[in-house]
Amino acid sequence: MSAVLSDPATLERETSAAPGASAELFIVLNPGSGAGGKDEVRQAIEQELSGAARRYRFVDVQPGRIVAACQEAARLAKEERGIVVAAGGDGTINAAAQAAFTHDVPLAVIAQGTFNLFARQLGLALDAAEATRMLLVAQPEPVQVGWVNQRLFLVNASVGLYPKLLADREQVKQKLGRRRWIAMLSALKSLLEWHRRLVLDVELDGQLKQLKTASVFVCNNRLQLQRIGIAEDIVAQVGEGRLACVTVRSIDLWAKLRMVAYALAGRLGEERGVDSFTLRTLSVGSRLARRMSVATDGEVQRMQLPLRFTVAPRPLHVMLPPVERRLPPE
């Protein structure tokens, strides 16, 4: 669905009136994100920004060095009172958000990934040219982000089954390409092969308990929760100082098949083997391990236990167009 865009004269008036309209844009374009051609994306961005006489600079990205490029963009934005622009998938946007948060500068998003849940939730366009036009009339707004052991996440963070799904999906993508149906088939295969059950010592909002689960999934994105069918009263609290948590109790074959069926139907919250609730803080430890694989916005890394999931101590400032120019989340 496309936004209704202004005519050139109106766009010029809106752009000149927007806070930070003269701020330089430091753009990180990840050549490895999404399935589209990066040359076309770069050309679309350049055409829109040049047509609006907006100052911008592409920050060089060396192979495998997207985090370093994002940190450099944020450093430059801090020095020049500019804006970091992430043009890529969830991993790129997460790296840019981490850098922008660290240097306390605004973040803009031109989403080019597979799912683009962060951009969709905020009503941003997925077409590069249209997203750039939105940026030209945007202003910084505070957005809640999650936090796990000093690592920021925009959409979700998890341990157990989900990091395994992501690691397997990445291997499949390297062989078959970055398409959504490939990601879904890979996830199904990983789910059916997963037999591990975690025994965790957790502290949930100050209460201690032992948790036996195949996965702990902490979510900061209402759209993702709605898609899988988590109860609306839980979804409504996300972004208002709370995160949502989904855990899976049983991992036998029939439980897995039921879970897949409910998830595909958008009714996962009704599956009896799935628990969902909201939280402010969640600490996770284990008597059997010192480190654990943690997935944050699709990127997997090993972290020292205990893990502490919480809302970040301050919001991230994201460049958003006026409400009437945003797309409905879908």
Side-chain angles (χ1 to χ4, degrees):
M1 184 176 182
S2 297
V4 178
L5 299 174
S6 302
D7 60 78
T10 303
L11 180 60
E12 183 177 356
R13 289 195 300 271
E14 289 178 333
T15 302
S16 62
S22 61
E24 187 169 1
L25 305 174
F26 296 91
I27 306 168
V28 180
L29 174 63
N30 186 355
S33 296
K38 295 303 123 177
D39 288 343
E40 289 83 355
V41 172
R42 178 167 179 146
Q43 289 171 9
I45 295 172
E46 289 180 327
Q47 181 176 344
E48 297 298 331
L49 296 180
S50 298
R54 184 64 178 268
R55 292 185 302 144
Y56 68 93
R57 189 186 318 179
F58 281 92
V59 177
D60 185 48
V61 181
Q62 298 296 325
R65 300 280 292 170
I66 189 66
V67 172
C70 289
Q71 290 292 335
E72 174 65 8
R75 183 189 67 79
L76 291 169
K78 185 70 172 182
E79 289 180 356
E80 304 294 333
R81 302 185 67 180
I83 297 165
V84 176
V85 182
D90 288 343
T92 302
I93 295 170
N94 177 281
Q98 185 86 36
F101 187 88
T102 300
H103 291 271
D104 196 20
V105 295
L107 172 74
V109 172
I110 300 175
Q112 297 293 301
T114 304
F115 297 102
N116 302 311
L117 288 166
F118 183 65
R120 291 178 187 271
Q121 173 68 45
L122 296 175
L124 300 177
L126 304 183
D127 174 76
E130 193 170 342
T132 306
R133 289 193 289 269
M134 284 186 169
L135 171 57
L136 288 170
V137 296
Q139 54 185 312
E141 295 188 19
V143 173
Q144 173 180 296
V145 293
W147 198 242
V148 53
N149 288 25
Q150 308 301 306
R151 174 81 182 188
L152 178 149
F153 62 94
L154 303 172
V155 178
N156 58 58
S158 60
V159 297
L161 173 59
Y162 196 62
K164 171 64 174 172
L165 297 183
L166 293 173
D168 290 349
R169 186 183 76 182
E170 193 58 33
Q171 290 182 357
V172 172
K173 281 182 175 181
Q174 296 298 324
K175 297 178 180 178
L176 301 178
R178 296 178 174 271
R179 299 188 182 279
R180 187 173 299 191
W181 68 269
I182 293 174
M184 294 178 67
L185 287 178
S186 172
L188 178 60
K189 179 177 180 293
S190 301
L191 172 64
L192 295 178
E193 291 177 347
W194 178 264
H195 299 290
R196 186 181 178 191
R197 195 178 193 191
L198 302 175
V199 180
L200 304 172
D201 298 312
V202 304
E203 180 182 348
L204 173 61
D205 289 346
Q207 295 186 342
L208 299 174
K209 61 187 296 187
Q210 188 178 79
L211 179 65
K212 297 179 180 180
T213 180
S215 186
V216 177
F217 181 84
V218 180
C219 189
N220 186 51
N221 187 272
R222 291 182 180 181
L223 181 59
Q224 184 171 49
L225 294 168
Q226 289 169 336
R227 284 184 171 184
I228 62 176
I230 301 302
E232 190 58 39
D233 62 327
I234 292 176
V235 175
Q237 297 179 57
V238 174
E240 303 296 330
R242 298 188 74 82
L243 303 166
C245 184
V246 180
T247 62
V248 180
R249 277 178 275 160
S250 180
I251 55 172
D252 63 67
L253 178 60
W254 291 112
K256 291 175 183 178
L257 293 176
R258 283 199 315 270
M259 187 168 65
V260 170
Y262 274 89
L264 291 175
R267 297 168 53 195
L268 186 63
E270 300 176 23
E271 214 303 68
R272 62 179 180 270
V274 173
D275 297 312
S276 55
F277 47 90
T278 65
L279 57 90
R280 293 187 185 277
T281 62
L282 173 68
S283 296
V284 175
S286 172
R287 301 169 193 176
L288 303 177
R290 294 183 178 181
R291 298 173 68 86
M292 190 170 288
S293 292
V294 182
T296 54
D297 293 343
E299 302 296 317
V300 181
Q301 56 272 310
R302 299 283 289 178
M303 289 189 182
Q304 189 76 30
L305 295 178
L307 305 173
R308 187 171 187 269
F309 300 85
T310 186
V311 174
R314 55 185 168 82
L316 174 70
H317 285 86
V318 181
M319 300 299 295
L320 298 177
V323 174
E324 64 272 13
R325 295 285 298 277
R326 300 176 199 176
L327 299 171
E330 59 181 9

